[in-house]
Amino acid sequence: MMANAGFTIWFTGLSGAGKSTLSEIIEQRLRARGRNVEVLDGDVVRTHLSKGLGFSKEDRDTNIKRIAFVCGLLSRNGVVCISAAISPYREAREWARQEIGNFVEIYVKCPIDVCRQRDVKGLYKLVDEGKVKNFTGVDDPYEEPENPELVIETDKETIEESISRIFARLEELGYLESETVVGRA
């Protein structure tokens, strides 16, 4: 189908679910396959592209639209884009899907108590101390995807199992050639 076309992998899920970890590994493996890859991590985007935005619904939607715009530009030019942003609202994710076209939504599902235990950035602790408000999954909603291309449950499978499932799904959807085909080329 389109095994060398650009496309976007859109990871969505709570803070601490594993979006960035999965993105980094997938980026490395796609590069090893000779693909051009860009990762738009939510934290990095907020520092550079969306500086000054807060965490109101409108600001979060604006942030997602900016990420989707960049993903769309890159994807249509043959780049594999990986978005690793919480993107808590269904409507904004659907907008991104329509805007980008070649779009694979992967829900990185993980119970909030496990995300709290992982809390590498210390954000849940800040929420508990009252220093952070409107935190997704705590005092601001996270709307689970209704029809993602794949659900990865990072509390129930190893990183390697998750990565294998993601690559299998991308091959199934026609975005990547299977590694056996790539190996023979």
Side-chain angles (χ1 to χ4, degrees):
M1 175 175 128
M2 50 193 160
N4 283 314
F7 62 94
T8 294
I9 300 169
W10 194 279
F11 286 113
T12 179
L14 296 174
S15 178
K19 299 177 300 298
S20 297
T21 301
L22 293 171
S23 296
E24 290 168 15
I25 297 167
I26 289 170
E27 176 189 23
Q28 293 165 1
R29 297 207 181 157
L30 286 171
R31 285 189 194 284
R33 288 186 176 200
R35 298 300 302 263
N36 291 325
V37 185
E38 286 298 330
V39 175
L40 282 91
D41 188 271
D43 294 335
V44 177
V45 168
R46 277 195 171 271
T47 302
H48 300 286
L49 188 63
S50 294
K51 193 174 188 139
L53 286 181
F55 291 91
S56 67
K57 182 174 187 323
E58 294 73 24
D59 282 358
R60 288 177 198 255
D61 286 348
T62 297
N63 186 48
I64 294 311
K65 287 182 176 184
R66 289 178 183 177
I67 294 170
F69 177 76
V70 173
C71 288
L73 285 177
L74 292 168
S75 290
R76 77 173 188 225
N77 284 288
V79 176
V80 177
C81 250
I82 302 171
S83 167
I86 293 169
S87 45
Y89 307 118
R90 271 187 213 110
E91 187 180 337
R93 292 192 305 266
E94 279 309 307
W95 186 91
R97 178 184 294 277
Q98 297 308 313
E99 185 72 15
I100 296 165
N102 292 342
F103 185 93
V104 180
E105 184 178 37
I106 299 177
Y107 176 24
V108 184
K109 185 176 184 176
C110 187
I112 195 160
D113 56 314
V114 176
C115 293
R116 279 179 174 278
Q117 289 165 17
R118 293 177 180 168
D119 199 13
V120 288
K121 300 173 205 158
L123 297 173
Y124 288 100
K125 186 175 184 292
L126 293 174
V127 171
D128 293 342
E129 294 170 355
K131 295 177 182 169
V132 172
K133 299 279 183 222
N134 301 327
F135 195 76
T136 302
V138 179
D139 56 356
D140 204 65
Y142 176 79
E143 299 171 358
E144 292 190 1
E146 293 176 331
N147 296 299
E149 278 70 20
L150 187 62
V151 176
I152 296 294
E153 295 188 65
T154 59
D155 64 315
K156 295 180 181 172
E157 54 193 69
T158 66
I159 291 173
E160 199 51 52
E161 287 169 333
S162 297
I163 297 292
S164 295
R165 290 184 58 231
I166 291 165
F167 273 89
R169 188 69 175 125
L170 293 172
E171 291 169 7
E172 203 177 282
L173 292 167
Y175 288 110
L176 295 176
E177 291 179 356
S178 80
E179 286 221 79
T180 52
V181 173
V182 172
R184 283 183 293 183

